[in-house]
Amino acid sequence: MMIGALFALAAFGMALVWGVMNVINIAQGEFVVLGGYVAVLMAQSGIHPFFAIFVAPVVLYGVGWFFYQTIIKRVVDKDLFTSLLATFGISILVQQLMNQIFGADIRRAPHGFGTWGFFDNLVTVEQVKLLTALAALALGGVMVLFLKKSRLGQAIRATAQNARAARIMGIDTDKVYAATYSLNAAICGAAGAMVAMIWVVEPYIGLVYTIRAFMIAIIAGLGNLSGVVLAGLGLGVAENFAGFIMGAEFQIAFVFSLLVVILVGRSILLGRKREYLK
Amino acid sequence: MSKNSKFLSVLACGAVVTGLATTGPAEAKVEGDTITLGSAVSITGRYAVNGKHTKNGYDLGVKFINDKGGITVGGKKYKLAIQYYDDESTAARGTQLAERLIQQDQIKFILGPYSSGMTKAIAPVVEKYGVPMVEGNGASRSIFNQGFRYTFAVLSTSEQYLSTAIDLAAEQAKKDGKDPSSLKIALGVRNEPFALDIGAGIHDDAKRHGMEIIIDEKFPKEVSDMTSFLTKIKALKPDVVVVSAHTVGGALFVRQMTEQKANAPIVAMTHCESAKIEDSTVFGSAGEDILCAGQWAPELTYRDDYFGSAMDYTKTFEKVYGYVPPYQAAESTASVLVYADAIARAGSFDTAKVRDALAATDMQTFYGNVKFAPTGQNIAKPMVLRQLQNGKYKLVAPSRWADTPLSFPRMAQ
């Protein structure tokens, strides 16, 4: 459940970029890992990594903005395949850079929080997981509010609905796209800081997070942001449950079968609706 | 703006470093008084850390042989050199580079890459060209059951990796007046050839002692969480936990085991050194009392003419590279020593003669005794187990050579 909150964050960003810009960001996981390294570096210089949840988004906002201005800007109105390739390129670039700068060593950010045990330690709750899950939910809440209430948030939603109309209404869509992509990187950064505290980071682990984020975004349906949060939480539970019952080798297989079932189920439902409309 | 330019300069640096690693002048096999060996190791990619250990090990071996005057072939002294390429930790690239070393660079003596997967990719290539390869970092059983004649490994093969832990558990049970067959084992391996071999080895050992394996888990390659495995351990309370999940999985396991308060009297794993579980600033005391499988340990009493004892090697290595050599480096150095020995005995640069000399190898190095089975793996050296006690690795098994008693049972951290 708490793991799900983390995946939900990364998926939230992905759904946002997908919905607004029609870009599937393959570099999602790399942004997460980069955020993790921010936490690791902070822990190394003696600052508690929990604060990285606030610092990493700022750093990653910059990174996201950089990649938008140099690369994404040029592919945003091209077809989906072009942007897929472009973000895939970013993903490889960031991976290799992280490998050069931080080395291929496994890193983690030590946090010093304890663990609560219940029933002879059969059930354990790590304080850090609880804290990060709460922070993740809070961040998600802030994002939803931001999109609903703020001027920029409204502009983002308007652009998502119809970019041309938004442009006619005087919205600078280029700025909106830049903000959206950077915002996504920032969210990933926060998630990454949490990952570094709970698990470990290394330059090549990003793919795991990209795939999860992608799946959650699909399950929830495009642009359905609150659905993303629910799907993320649900996936976290389902995954661990499957791992426990069937063994770790089927953990991911189960999650993907679930995806197939949901997609098939949804298309059947849609089919029915269509008949009704006839 | 300054952020941009900084980022770009880092990017440029990265490009230059990668460029340096992958290009170099082509050299012939023997030029003047230099014999050039060839190796494609992982400088970048997921095996970059262990690739570096491998390269450092090779370089140190070459340096010491050259400092001692080199190898005598046909009455003439020759120095060694190594032509490296970066295989980027991908098997396809490794295969290409092996072809390139042999065909383009005319190198007739190959040193192995890092990891079983990469070695397995290159073995058919050296076989095709009849060029011998000595390797110290490919332990998968599957490399040695395909009838390759030109691949020689100085290390113990994978199914032996954690066998010592099961034997140790049986020994301890007898000491406590228990029947070894009453022990229950939890096994967790990453779903890849090397770790699966280790798992198969454990199954054999368990059968031999009549032990029961109550948890048998295969982690996905990109393992990111071990909660379900640990929950099972907490519920079923096995006596022995055996884990091989490469570096990421190893680090995760140690970390999450402590955070989720799971434990067992004996916990044994691989890749402790590369996961750096001894680093208390990162893991706290989480790694305490964990048994680590190793090909080699500095405390062993093997000797050779170049480096002296295993401890002497360790000191030399530390002086040159500034860190204690992990076994990955030691077995790489040993590969170079074995090669030098075989070329000298062959008295020729003919690849077939060097191959036959390799097959007849029977020597002791600081790394251990080396004698190859007809299929190419080293059969003269057992695996060792070291236990992390008060932040230091102590040799505890095989008990024949151990200088420290086992800390048993493992205390919950």
Side-chain angles (χ1 to χ4, degrees):
Chain A
M1 185 85 174
M2 296 169 193
I3 299 167
L6 268 185
F7 291 144
L9 265 191
F12 193 93
M14 187 168 234
L16 193 66
V17 168
W18 198 349
V20 176
M21 305 165 67
N22 198 24
V23 166
I24 297 177
N25 186 32
I26 304 283
Q28 201 76 353
E30 275 61 43
F31 289 157
V32 172
V33 177
L34 214 50
Y37 275 111
V38 172
V40 170
L41 290 183
M42 282 177 65
Q44 265 176 6
S45 48
I47 309 165
H48 197 282
F50 191 75
F51 295 109
I53 296 182
F54 308 103
V55 177
V58 179
V59 177
L60 265 290
Y61 191 92
V63 174
W65 187 83
F66 170 75
F67 279 121
Y68 177 79
Q69 295 299 348
T70 49
I71 299 165
I72 305 294
K73 192 177 180 176
R74 290 163 229 286
V75 298
V76 73
D77 45 4
K78 303 270 162 47
D79 68 57
L80 197 59
F81 193 66
T82 315
S83 61
L84 260 181
L85 275 180
T87 54
F88 189 51
I90 295 179
S91 135
I92 294 176
L93 179 71
V94 174
Q95 265 179 21
Q96 294 297 343
L97 282 179
M98 286 191 296
N99 197 7
Q100 293 288 351
I101 299 168
F102 304 111
D105 276 340
I106 314 267
R107 304 285 197 89
R108 58 168 282 191
H111 49 71
F113 292 119
T115 302
W116 290 308
F118 305 100
F119 311 115
D120 192 22
N121 284 335
L122 194 57
V123 177
T124 50
V125 176
E126 290 152 61
Q127 290 160 10
V128 63
K129 271 194 189 168
L130 195 66
L131 262 176
T132 49
L134 288 177
L137 286 180
L139 196 62
V142 169
M143 282 304 300
V144 171
L145 269 181
F146 168 79
L147 287 178
K148 283 231 163 90
K149 304 280 176 201
S150 79
R151 210 62 199 142
L152 182 59
Q154 284 167 352
I156 289 178
R157 285 192 298 143
T159 311
Q161 278 170 13
N162 190 331
R164 238 178 100 195
R167 225 170 291 146
I168 292 167
M169 294 303 183
I171 292 173
D172 183 348
T173 49
D174 186 45
K175 258 193 193 147
V176 167
Y177 285 151
T180 310
Y181 196 75
S182 314
L183 212 54
N184 163 45
I187 299 172
C188 288
M194 300 174 192
V195 166
M197 279 193 287
I198 301 179
W199 297 290
V200 293
V201 288
E202 56 126 15
Y204 298 98
I205 210 167
L207 186 67
V208 179
Y209 297 97
T210 306
I211 292 177
R212 303 283 162 83
F214 184 59
M215 275 194 54
I216 296 171
I218 289 179
I219 290 178
L222 270 186
N224 180 0
L225 291 180
S226 47
V228 164
V229 176
L230 285 179
L233 294 178
L235 189 75
V237 176
E239 195 182 315
N240 265 303
F241 195 64
F244 187 72
I245 304 291
M246 298 187 284
E249 51 195 307
F250 295 113
Q251 194 162 336
I252 296 198
F254 174 79
V255 172
F256 274 89
S257 334
L258 201 66
L259 174 71
V260 173
V261 170
I262 289 175
L263 288 182
V264 170
R266 187 172 286 165
S267 76
I268 292 172
L269 278 180
L270 275 178
R272 275 211 197 121
K273 238 183 224 164
R274 234 172 267 138
E275 261 169 64
Y276 185 70
L277 282 173
K278 271 182 218 161
Chain B
M1 192 58 216
S2 73
K3 178 171 253 155
N4 279 8
S5 56
K6 209 169 173 188
F7 206 89
L8 279 175
S9 67
V10 171
L11 195 147
C13 281
V16 169
V17 171
T18 325
L20 280 180
T22 48
T23 54
E27 272 168 327
K29 164 187 84 168
V30 182
E31 256 182 350
D33 61 349
T34 306
I35 309 168
T36 307
L37 310 177
S39 183
V41 291
S42 309
I43 311 286
T44 57
R46 71 171 67 241
Y47 298 132
V49 177
N50 285 317
K52 195 185 87 188
H53 297 327
T54 306
K55 183 173 179 295
N56 288 348
Y58 287 153
D59 286 342
L60 196 65
V62 166
K63 180 176 181 298
F64 264 67
I65 287 170
N66 289 346
D67 287 354
K68 285 239 170 182
I71 312 170
T72 315
V73 180
K76 190 179 165 201
K77 287 271 186 190
Y78 289 90
K79 302 252 184 219
L80 286 182
I82 302 179
Q83 164 81 49
Y84 287 110
Y85 287 114
D86 174 16
D87 64 22
E88 297 159 24
S89 308
T90 53
R93 187 90 184 113
T95 318
Q96 276 174 12
L97 290 172
E99 295 251 5
R100 176 172 174 168
L101 281 167
I102 297 168
Q103 290 230 288
Q104 227 164 304
D105 301 341
Q106 293 294 313
I107 285 168
K108 298 295 179 227
F109 305 113
I110 301 290
L111 285 163
Y114 174 76
S115 90
S116 293
M118 305 293 298
T119 309
K120 208 171 155 183
I122 290 181
V125 179
V126 298
E127 200 68 23
K128 182 170 83 182
Y129 293 107
V131 169
M133 165 163 80
V134 179
E135 57 105 346
N137 289 291
S140 175
R141 183 155 60 166
S142 56
I143 300 170
F144 307 103
N145 58 12
Q146 314 204 14
F148 292 139
R149 292 181 68 247
Y150 282 87
T151 300
F152 297 92
V154 299
L155 75 181
S156 309
T157 48
S158 48
E159 73 275 14
Q160 306 164 3
Y161 257 61
L162 284 162
S163 298
T164 325
I166 304 298
D167 294 341
L168 192 68
E171 232 173 77
Q172 190 67 37
K174 273 184 205 146
K175 217 181 275 175
D176 297 346
K178 281 199 292 187
D179 185 5
S181 65
S182 68
L183 296 185
K184 291 179 172 51
I185 302 174
L187 175 65
V189 294
R190 186 162 170 255
N191 208 343
E192 45 140 6
F194 169 71
L196 290 175
D197 282 352
I198 295 181
I202 296 293
H203 273 276
D204 292 346
D205 299 321
K207 211 176 278 166
R208 186 154 49 82
H209 290 290
M211 298 174 188
E212 192 192 349
I213 295 183
I214 50 171
I215 303 170
D216 186 1
E217 194 99 310
K218 291 184 187 71
F219 306 120
K221 268 194 174 172
E222 308 284 346
V223 58
S224 61
D225 185 65
M226 293 216 172
T227 305
S228 61
F229 180 58
L230 291 165
T231 310
K232 283 180 202 169
I233 291 179
K234 286 190 283 189
L236 297 174
K237 297 196 179 15
D239 302 285
V240 186
V241 175
V242 183
V243 170
S244 176
H246 222 271
T247 315
V248 179
L252 263 177
F253 170 70
V254 170
R255 173 171 198 173
Q256 292 198 302
M257 180 170 62
T258 304
E259 286 178 349
Q260 302 186 6
K261 300 193 176 177
N263 192 27
I266 288 185
V267 178
M269 60 182 273
T270 59
H271 298 91
C272 299
E273 290 90 348
S274 49
K276 299 209 172 93
I277 65 162
E278 73 279 5
D279 186 349
S280 61
T281 58
V282 178
F283 286 99
S285 66
E288 263 320 274
D289 283 356
I290 287 183
L291 291 164
C292 301
Q295 289 280 356
W296 172 82
E299 295 85 2
L300 292 166
T301 50
Y302 307 121
R303 299 189 63 86
D304 66 45
D305 297 339
Y306 292 105
F307 291 98
S309 69
M311 196 45 98
D312 295 337
Y313 172 80
T314 306
K315 283 182 188 144
T316 311
F317 189 96
E318 210 177 346
K319 208 183 291 163
V320 176
Y321 296 109
Y323 65 100
V324 177
Y327 68 77
Q328 286 89 347
E331 58 205 18
S332 304
T333 307
S335 308
V336 178
L337 298 186
V338 167
Y339 233 132
D341 174 70
I343 295 175
R345 271 188 296 112
S348 154
F349 299 118
D350 183 65
T351 49
K353 281 187 185 149
V354 172
R355 190 222 89 92
D356 292 342
L358 277 169
T361 299
D362 188 359
M363 65 187 289
Q364 187 171 69
T365 68
F366 72 91
Y367 171 71
N369 296 328
V370 180
K371 189 175 161 67
F372 298 115
T375 41
Q377 74 271 40
N378 185 5
I379 42 171
K381 184 193 78 68
M383 293 293 294
V384 299
L385 278 181
R386 294 191 298 162
Q387 189 172 38
L388 200 60
Q389 296 182 358
N390 299 317
K392 292 260 179 325
Y393 287 114
K394 302 282 186 192
L395 187 64
V396 295
S399 29
R400 205 168 359 141
W401 290 314
D403 56 356
T404 313
L406 175 72
S407 162
F408 177 89
R410 180 175 191 267
M411 290 297 146
Q413 298 298 322

